[in-house]
């Protein structure tokens, strides 16, 4: 009869999933859950208490978009366009600039953050911004400060002790106002009169950190975040996670103010350049006007001539008109030459004056300069935060070079045309000069002097008007950004209670459940009788409960009400149903691997038969690893089984008596080099035939059949063979593959026994143990 069902039913059985069986098996490991839960609660409690509180501080800032057109200011003749810096108002650029290194540096320059003060709490250090009872007065310049952290403990009202966390050997005593030089930082510690009276600083542990400029910039730059306040709006939320709320508010507010002032400064920069240029022109024209006025007054006084004739006045008017035209052309020429020199000099585009600053009307050049300023602003925005070469910066730079060459070429072309126009005006002025020479000599001189005076006066008045227009344009500039709401605390970020609750649930509940599930699902060992009965048709003769010590099991056999004793009696009863050959009942015990309790079970079965009053013999055929003599604590006076089988002496003393009535033992003796060869000899058959006449029951303990062939050689002498397996020890794959082996399938009357099943756990079927039943 086959020991296994057909392959199809076996595969179906492998794929079957018994949910309740998994649950019941998992309950064996219930203790993992409280252990993980207790450990998790303790760890989470410590983490919660030791986490430095972190608060979110935020402010709302309105960032305007691009401004394509700006209204003009001034008269129609000398209108000065408002300064267009639409590129700087670009929202994306503003967001980049707002968190740039330069902007952070500018913000920190206005704040006193070079020293951070801390007060020791139970599990962490709390930052005490503006609350410290002492102040660290730095003598070292900000740019030269070295980042260092010091602990300070006051020993009396004036004396304190400085230590370092990373250098336990360092310890120095100082007093207030003493100059201290440590690690490249020079400073003095002075009392803070506003706070020292409010704190018990003598009994409190403090510390302070001297922050380098690089550390401060890196710290705040990495922590400032900007998010759109409402989708579709240009209001942005500037937030910062800080240990001290007031310190965070001060930083965010200062950063917001700098952002508001940034675009206004950019607008005013062009206006200031225009005003400076006009004022530089006014100086020269003003001097010329003073000279011309003085010459005119002196000539009139000497020659008693106040006005020129009507014809002379007409010539003066025409001359002034032509001179104004020439001055405007000369201004344009100067601007075009300025552009050529500026483009060739490859100077900063930021200071490039637009045509309107010179009163030049040239839409093409103005448009190119506006585009150049836009590209320069975009390039500047990308370079604010980029420490490596950005491909977009290179692309913008190439486009700016093309624009510069185009502006230069356009200016060269305008220089030629303007020079031609100036030459035409000069020819017309020469014609008027010929008309002047026809007038009387004195009138010619007066006409010439008055013409120069009026021309200079009109130019001076024109420049004054231009300066006023530029000043009005500057006064009309407003920032593109606006602080909608100044910084306020938006709640605590750390410690996050929800995060810690999730940690408790995950590590204290889900993780142990996962561990238990993995233990159960990945356990490939025999766990209960169902593992045996569902995979093979070989009968299960019994289940032996777990014992704690080998001595306990032997004592248990003497106690008729013990669980061990009851189990072995049940197995003994089942063995009686197997037939014998008419002589003594011969029972062979083997296993798949060592350590499955085969020898202990052999001793128990032998003792059980001896208690029944039957003359019983226990033979230790496990000559490779003999254990029977140790279990029964007997001392062999003879040679043992190995010497008997290897010798021809028939009178050799072999059988040893035990303390148990009706039970004798043949110990294995000295380990031989060839146990299998000894068993295969005829002397084994002869020995067993002689013993069968002397005893009613013979129990044979053999080596594991999964490792050696000794048990296969002995099975022909036995009436039945018990294959011992052990709970959570015997691998399923090994056992079922071994049971398919031909040396096992040929064994007659083969039965299985499950050993070491925990008595405190209910089996997952009708077989169960109860301590009360045996009490």
């Amino acid at each position: 009869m086959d020991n296994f069902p057909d392959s199809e039913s076996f595969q179906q059985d492998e794929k079957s999933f018994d949910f309740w069986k998994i649950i019941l098996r998992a309950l064996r490991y219930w203790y993992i859950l409280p252990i993980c839960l207790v450990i998790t609660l303790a760890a989470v409690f410590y983490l919660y208490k030791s986490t430095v509180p972190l608060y979110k501080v935020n402010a709302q800032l309105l960032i305007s978009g691009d401004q394509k057109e700006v209204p003009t200011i001034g008269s129609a003749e000398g209108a000065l366009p408002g300064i267009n810096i639409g590129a700087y108002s670009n929202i994306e650029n503003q967001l980049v600039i707002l968190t740039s290194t330069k902007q952070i540096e500018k913000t920190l320059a206005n704040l006193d953050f070079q020293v951070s003060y801390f007060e020791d709490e139970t599990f962490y250090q709390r930052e005490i911004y503006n609350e410290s009872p002492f102040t660290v007065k730095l003598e070292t310049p900000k740019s030269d400060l070295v980042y260092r952290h010091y602990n300070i403990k006051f020993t009396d009202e004036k004396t304190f002790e400085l230590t370092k966390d990373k250098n336990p050997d360092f310890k120095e005593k100082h007093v207030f106002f003493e100059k201290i030089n440590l690690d490249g930082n020079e400073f003095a510690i002075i009392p803070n009169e506003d706070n020292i009276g409010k704190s018990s600083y003598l009994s409190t542990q403090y510390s302070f950190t001297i922050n380098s400029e690089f550390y401060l910039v890196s710290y705040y730059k990495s922590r400032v975040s900007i998010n759109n306040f409402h989708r579709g709006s240009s209001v942005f939320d500037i937030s910062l996670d800080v240990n001290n709320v007031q310190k965070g508010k001060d930083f965010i507010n200062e950063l917001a103010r700098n952002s508001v002032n940034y675009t206004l400064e950019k607008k005013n920069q062009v206006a200031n350049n225009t005003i400076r240029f006009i004022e530089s022109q006014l100086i020269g024209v003003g001097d010329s006007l003073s000279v011309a006025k003085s010459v005119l007054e002196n000539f009139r006084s000497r020659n008693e001539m106040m006005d020129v004739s009507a014809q002379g006045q007409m010539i003066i008017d025409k001359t002034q008109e032509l001179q104004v035209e020439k001055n405007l052309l000369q201004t344009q020429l100067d601007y075009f030459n300025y552009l050529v020199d500026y483009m060739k000099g490859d100077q900063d585009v930021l200071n490039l004056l637009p045509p309107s600053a010179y009163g030049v009307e040239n839409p093409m050049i103005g448009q190119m300069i506006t585009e150049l300023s836009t590209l320069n602003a975009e390039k500047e925005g990308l370079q604010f935060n980029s420490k490596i070469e950005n491909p977009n910066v290179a692309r913008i730079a190439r486009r700016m070079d093309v624009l510069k060459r185009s502006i230069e070429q356009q200016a060269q072309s305008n220089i030629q045309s303007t020079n031609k126009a100036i030459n035409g005006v000069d020819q017309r002025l020469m014609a008027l000069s010929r008309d002047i020479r026809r007038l009387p000599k004195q009138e010619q001189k007066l006409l010439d002097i008055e013409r120069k005076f009026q021309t200079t006066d009109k130019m001076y008045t024109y420049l004054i008007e231009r300066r006023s227009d530029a000043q009005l344009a500057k006064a009309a500039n407003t920032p593109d950004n606006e602080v909608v709401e100044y910084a306020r605390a938006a709640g605590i970020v750390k410690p996050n209670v929800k995060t810690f609750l999730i940690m408790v649930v995950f590590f204290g509940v889900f993780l142990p459940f996962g561990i238990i599930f993995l233990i159960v699902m990945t356990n490939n060992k025999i766990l209960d009788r169902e593992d045996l009965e569902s995979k093979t048709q070989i009968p299960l003769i019994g289940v032996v409960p777990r014992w704690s010590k080998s001595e306990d099991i032997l004592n248990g056999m003497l106690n008729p009400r013990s669980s061990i004793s009851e189990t072995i009696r049940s197995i003994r009863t089942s063995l009686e149903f197997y037939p014998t050959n008419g002589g003594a009942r011969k029972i062979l015990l083997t296993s798949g691997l060592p350590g499955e309790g085969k020898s202990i079970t052999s001793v128990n079965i032998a003792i059980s038969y001896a208690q029944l009053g039957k003359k019983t013999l226990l033979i230790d055929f496990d000559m490779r690893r003999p254990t029977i003599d140790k279990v029964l604590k007997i001392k062999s006076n003879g040679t043992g089984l190995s010497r008997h089988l290897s010798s021809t002496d028939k009178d050799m003393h072999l059988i040893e008596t035990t303390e148990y009535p009706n039970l004798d033992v043949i110990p294995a003796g000295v380990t031989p080099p060839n146990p299998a060869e000894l068993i295969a000899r005829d002397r084994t058959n002869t020995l067993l035939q002689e013993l069968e006449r002397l005893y009613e029951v013979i129990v044979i303990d053999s080596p594991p059949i999964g490792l050696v062939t000794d048990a296969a050689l002995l099975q022909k002498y036995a009436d039945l063979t018990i294959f011992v397996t052990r709970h959570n020890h015997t691998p399923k794959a090994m056992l079922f593959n071994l049971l398919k082996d031909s040396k096992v399938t040929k064994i007659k009357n083969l039965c299985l026994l499950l050993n070491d099943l925990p008595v405190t756990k209910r089996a997952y079927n009708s077989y169960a143990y109860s301590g009360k039943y045996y009490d």
Side-chain angles (χ1 to χ4, degrees), residues 666-717:
I666 297 180
V670 181
T671 302
N674 55 346
E677 284 75 7
L678 292 181
I679 294 174
R681 290 182 180 181
D682 293 337
R683 192 170 177 81
T684 301
N685 184 33
T686 302
L687 174 63
L688 290 174
Q689 289 178 357
E690 292 177 357
L691 294 173
E692 192 174 355
R693 292 194 296 268
L694 300 175
Y695 293 92
E696 297 178 80
V697 178
I698 299 176
V699 180
I700 302 172
D701 179 28
S702 65
I705 196 171
L707 300 179
V708 294
T709 61
D710 298 21
L713 295 174
L714 290 169
Q715 60 86 21
K716 61 184 178 180
Y717 303 114

Side-chain angles (χ1 to χ4, degrees), residues 273-380:
N273 291 339
T274 303
I275 292 171
R276 282 196 297 269
F277 170 76
I278 294 174
E279 288 179 343
S280 65
Q281 296 293 315
L282 277 171
I283 294 174
V285 175
D287 293 340
S288 299
L289 180 61
S290 298
V291 172
K293 182 179 181 181
S294 177
V295 171
L296 178 60
E297 290 176 350
N298 291 334
F299 183 85
R300 284 175 174 175
S301 176
R302 290 195 307 270
N303 298 282
E304 297 181 353
M305 291 181 65
M306 299 304 296
D307 294 310
V308 296
S309 63
Q311 183 181 2
Q313 187 62 46
M314 182 184 66
I315 294 174
I316 289 176
D317 292 340
K318 290 183 178 179
T319 302
Q320 287 178 349
E321 292 177 1
L322 291 174
Q323 191 64 45
V324 169
E325 183 179 352
K326 181 179 179 180
N327 289 339
L328 291 176
L329 290 172
Q330 186 62 47
T331 300
Q332 293 180 15
L333 182 63
D334 291 342
Y335 180 71
F336 295 138
N337 286 322
Y338 159 78
L339 279 183
V340 172
D341 294 339
Y342 206 96
M343 295 298 110
K344 286 183 177 180
D346 197 21
Q347 301 180 49
D348 189 1
V349 178
L350 189 64
N351 297 319
L352 178 61
L353 293 174
S356 59
Y358 279 77
V360 177
E361 297 295 334
N362 193 308
M364 183 177 294
I365 291 180
Q367 183 179 356
M368 287 191 290
I369 289 178
T370 300
E371 185 178 356
L372 186 64
S373 299
T374 302
L375 290 173
N376 184 67
E378 185 177 353
K379 176 183 174 183
E380 187 181 45

Side-chain angles (χ1 to χ4, degrees), residues 72-81 328 356 359-361 462 465-466 469:
T72 58
I73 300 174
S75 62
E77 179 183 357
L80 180 67
L328 291 176
S356 59
V360 177
E361 297 295 334
Y462 170 77
E465 291 176 352
R466 295 289 296 163
D469 290 340

Side-chain angles (χ1 to χ4, degrees), residues 438-540:
R438 297 189 184 100
L439 298 174
K441 294 294 184 180
Q442 292 296 327
E443 189 174 354
Q444 288 183 27
K445 291 181 180 180
L446 178 61
L447 182 64
D448 184 59
I449 294 172
E450 191 166 340
R451 177 174 56 84
K452 290 181 180 178
F453 170 76
Q454 291 183 4
T455 301
T456 305
D457 181 65
K458 194 165 186 178
M459 186 64 185
Y460 186 81
T461 302
Y462 170 77
L463 290 175
I464 290 292
E465 291 176 352
R466 295 289 296 163
R467 184 178 65 178
S468 298
D469 290 340
Q471 290 172 341
L472 286 173
K474 177 182 177 181
N477 285 336
T478 58
D480 293 334
N481 300 346
E482 178 185 350
V483 179
V484 177
E485 186 169 347
Y486 282 97
R488 70 181 191 279
I492 187 168
V493 177
K494 292 182 180 179
N496 191 325
V497 177
K498 291 183 179 179
T499 301
F500 288 112
L501 288 177
I502 291 173
M503 291 174 62
V504 171
V505 173
F506 179 79
F507 292 105
V509 180
F510 289 141
L511 182 62
F513 272 125
I515 294 173
I516 293 172
F517 179 79
L518 288 176
I519 292 174
V520 173
M521 298 304 294
T522 59
N523 192 339
N524 63 345
K525 306 296 178 58
I526 298 295
L527 296 178
D528 52 42
R529 66 184 301 161
E530 188 174 286
D531 283 342
L532 298 173
E533 293 175 339
S534 64
K535 303 296 190 302
T536 177
Q537 295 178 354
I538 300 175
L540 179 65

